[in-house]
């Protein structure tokens, strides 16, 4: 296939580009490099540009007969979305509309969309299935849910098939050590704890130890980025074969607490990890764990790296060996 990967220079997108290239597909990356890294997209051909540029989109679609589009380009910081919602609606919703309209104009009908567990809002059950109500509690989750909803209309009106993949906590790095997570500023737990292990940071703040969980810290479902890539390609194959749209929750099905992640980093890196317990972070639910049975059943997908020590080990290799990409 020839696939357009929008946001293919970012953390998950870059792993996807490599995954697709390894599977023998041709990949064009469209990325404005606002948060991505030029080198990270090297398994595809990079077009530097923005979804706001309709002329660029038209020429890209005219020059290439794409079989499908995967869309990873979005802002994804919950806190930032609370203080600057317009930035999130413009980029995550309005820019996505430009992309979808270009697809419709040029007859490309298969779309894989990076959605998020944040579309569910506060969890009402231990494990979250696709049937869980979607009531986002921040503009980031809201922006992703808006796209999920408008994709239903684009299917009805234009026959544009989509799969929305709701990620829980993406983690880990390319096992071959070529790619990894590199955000600036970094806000995610595993890379931050690894920065403590490598000496780039003095200590990690644990955002609250008084939650209703066994050790008092928040529990999240960390899923290896390679397992996410595997699910994306399986979702694309499923969509093209079935000619149906679908919505899938992608998680490990296992929860790990903040303290368990810190312990894992201690085990894997053999470094001490000083921490301090601070206030809870606004908007953090105590527990967020996926039920991914539907994706397993329909897509024939299984996680391969469900062990947190493996995710941490791959991310640690990246932290030690790459400062900037
Ligand atoms: N967390 C923490 N300290 C940090 C960063 C994160 O205790 O410096 C906690 C956070 O409260 C959450 C978990 O780690 O329970 C994962 O947070 P992250 O920002 O990595 O992902 P999110 O769950 O927000 O998508």
């Amino acid at each position: 296939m020839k696939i357009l990967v929008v946001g293919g220079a970012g953390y998950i997108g870059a792993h996807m580009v490599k995954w697709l290239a390894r599977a023998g597909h041709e990949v064009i990356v469209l990325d404005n490099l606002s948060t991505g890294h030029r080198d990270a997209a090297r398994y595809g051909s990079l077009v530097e540009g923005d979804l706001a540029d309709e002329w660029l989109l038209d020429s890209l679609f005219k020059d290439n007969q794409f079989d499908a589009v995967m869309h990873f380009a979005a802002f994804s910081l919950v806190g930032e979305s609370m203080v600057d919602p317009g930035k999130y609606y413009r980029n995550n919703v309005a820019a996505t509309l430009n992309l979808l309209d270009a697809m419709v104009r040029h007859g490309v009908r298969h779309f894989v969309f990076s959605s998020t567990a944040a579309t569910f809002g506060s969890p009402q059950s231990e494990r979250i299935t696709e049937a869980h109500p979607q009531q986002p509690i921040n503009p980031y989750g809201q922006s992703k849910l808006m796209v999920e909803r408008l994709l239903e209309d684009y299917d009805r009106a234009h026959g544009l098939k989509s799969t929305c993949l709701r990620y829980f906590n993406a983690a880990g790095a390319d096992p071959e050590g070529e790619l990894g997570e590199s955000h600036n500023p970094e806000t995610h737990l595993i890379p931050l704890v690894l920065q403590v292990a490598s000496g780039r940071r003095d200590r990690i703040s644990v955002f609250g130890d008084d939650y209703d969980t066994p050790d008092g810290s928040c529990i999240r479902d960390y899923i290896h980025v390679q397992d996410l890539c595997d699910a994306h390609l399986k979702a694309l194959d499923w969509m093209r074969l079935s000619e149906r749209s679908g919505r899938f929750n992608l998680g490990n099905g296992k929860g790990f607490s903040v303290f368990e992640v810190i312990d894992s980093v201690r085990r894997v890196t053999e470094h001490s990890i000083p921490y301090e317990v601070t206030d809870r972070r606004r908007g953090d639910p105590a527990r967020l764990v996926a039920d991914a049975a539907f994706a397993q059943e329909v897509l024939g997908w299984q996680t391969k790296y469900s062990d947190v020590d493996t995710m941490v080990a791959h991310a640690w290799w990246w932290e030690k060996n790459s400062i900037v990409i």
Side-chain angles (χ1 to χ4, degrees), residues 70-308:
M70 291 187 173
H71 182 28
F72 296 88
F75 294 134
S76 60
L77 300 178
V78 167
E80 185 186 53
S81 81
M82 305 281 280
V83 296
D84 192 359
K87 177 174 174 180
Y88 278 69
Y89 292 120
R90 248 186 318 277
N91 189 55
N92 297 4
V93 184
T96 301
L97 270 176
N98 284 346
L99 174 61
L100 295 174
D101 286 337
M103 288 178 66
V104 170
R105 279 197 300 280
H106 295 273
V108 181
R109 293 192 315 103
H110 295 103
F111 186 66
V112 181
F113 178 60
S114 301
S115 189
T116 167
T119 59
F120 293 111
S122 303
Q124 297 171 14
S125 51
E126 280 269 298
R127 299 195 333 149
I128 298 180
T129 68
E130 287 74 6
H132 189 286
Q134 286 183 291
Q135 289 158 349
I137 53 172
N138 52 61
Y140 167 60
Q142 192 73 259
S143 70
K144 290 285 184 173
L145 182 58
M146 284 178 172
V147 174
E148 286 201 11
R149 295 267 154 82
L150 64 87
L151 283 170
E152 293 169 15
D153 294 331
Y154 272 62
D155 188 354
R156 272 189 293 271
H158 306 296
L160 192 148
K161 302 297 167 198
S162 61
T163 41
C164 296
L165 302 176
R166 289 95 172 232
Y167 314 155
F168 282 64
N169 289 58
D174 175 27
E176 293 174 354
E178 292 185 338
L179 303 165
E181 194 166 0
S182 178
H183 298 114
N184 189 15
E186 188 53 75
T187 63
H188 293 113
L189 181 65
I190 293 178
L192 285 175
V193 184
L194 289 172
Q195 288 181 6
V196 178
S198 67
R200 283 211 276 161
R201 218 169 261 274
D202 292 342
R203 65 177 68 84
I204 183 77
S205 300
V206 174
F207 296 153
D209 67 350
D210 55 353
Y211 285 95
D212 185 15
T213 58
D215 65 20
S217 67
C218 284
I219 292 176
R220 293 288 178 276
D221 179 327
Y222 296 91
I223 174 163
H224 199 293
V225 64
Q226 296 292 100
D227 286 325
L228 284 179
C229 293
D230 185 24
H232 279 69
L233 188 49
K234 288 194 159 80
L236 177 55
D237 288 340
W238 169 82
M239 181 169 52
R240 282 165 55 90
L241 259 175
S242 67
E243 279 301 332
R244 291 176 58 191
S245 291
R247 313 279 178 261
F248 301 96
N249 293 357
L250 296 184
N252 197 336
K254 288 187 211 152
F256 299 97
S257 73
V258 175
F259 286 123
E260 284 173 329
V261 168
I262 293 174
D263 282 343
S264 168
V265 174
R266 284 199 187 105
R267 268 194 306 277
V268 169
T269 67
E270 299 179 334
H271 285 279
S272 65
I273 307 292
Y275 69 85
E276 61 179 345
V277 176
T278 61
D279 288 346
R280 292 180 175 196
R281 189 172 64 178
R282 241 176 101 207
D284 263 345
R287 186 187 155 87
L288 205 51
V289 180
D291 181 333
F294 186 58
Q296 288 162 4
E297 187 190 315
V298 176
L299 304 179
W301 168 75
Q302 284 290 343
T303 54
K304 185 171 165 197
Y305 303 108
S306 59
D307 172 43
V308 72

